[in-house]
Amino acid sequence: DDGDVLIEALDKKISESSAAGKIQAYYILDPRPPSGEEIMNEEDESPVLLITNYDISPATKVWVKPAVTFLGLASVALFSLGSFSFNDD
């Protein structure tokens, strides 16, 4: 596959440069939604080259994800209770 060859070549060049260990390249399908014209013409999604920081998923504390989930659920519950409290019926 041409994408694999491209990424291997980029990884080799990056490892030889001063950016080694700082950036990473990905060859992905374009994440933007297709336009109406592209849908009507049945055009395939085009690939793009994504350059990111080397560590795209930094480690988080073990309590962060449950805390965010709890805050989200509490916000939804409070919003729904608030909506019902303003109902006159």
Side-chain angles (χ1 to χ4, degrees):
D1 191 42
D2 293 335
D4 293 333
V5 173
L6 173 65
I7 292 299
E8 287 175 11
L10 280 172
D11 284 343
K12 183 178 178 186
K13 287 289 187 183
I14 291 171
S15 67
E16 296 170 354
S17 72
S18 62
K22 296 178 185 175
I23 62 172
Q24 193 164 1
Y26 297 96
Y27 190 69
I28 62 171
L29 291 178
D30 193 356
R32 68 176 173 77
S35 68
E37 185 176 316
E38 290 172 337
I39 293 172
M40 294 301 289
N41 294 338
E42 297 180 4
E43 294 177 15
D44 291 332
E45 296 173 336
S46 56
V48 294
L49 188 63
L50 175 67
I51 307 293
T52 65
N53 188 7
Y54 191 76
D55 186 16
I56 61 171
S57 60
T60 58
K61 303 278 187 203
V62 72
W63 54 269
V64 171
K65 291 178 184 176
V68 169
T69 301
F70 173 75
L71 287 173
L73 291 174
S75 298
V76 168
L78 288 173
F79 177 78
S80 63
L81 290 173
S83 298
F84 282 118
S85 69
F86 286 115
N87 193 353
D88 292 334
D89 294 334

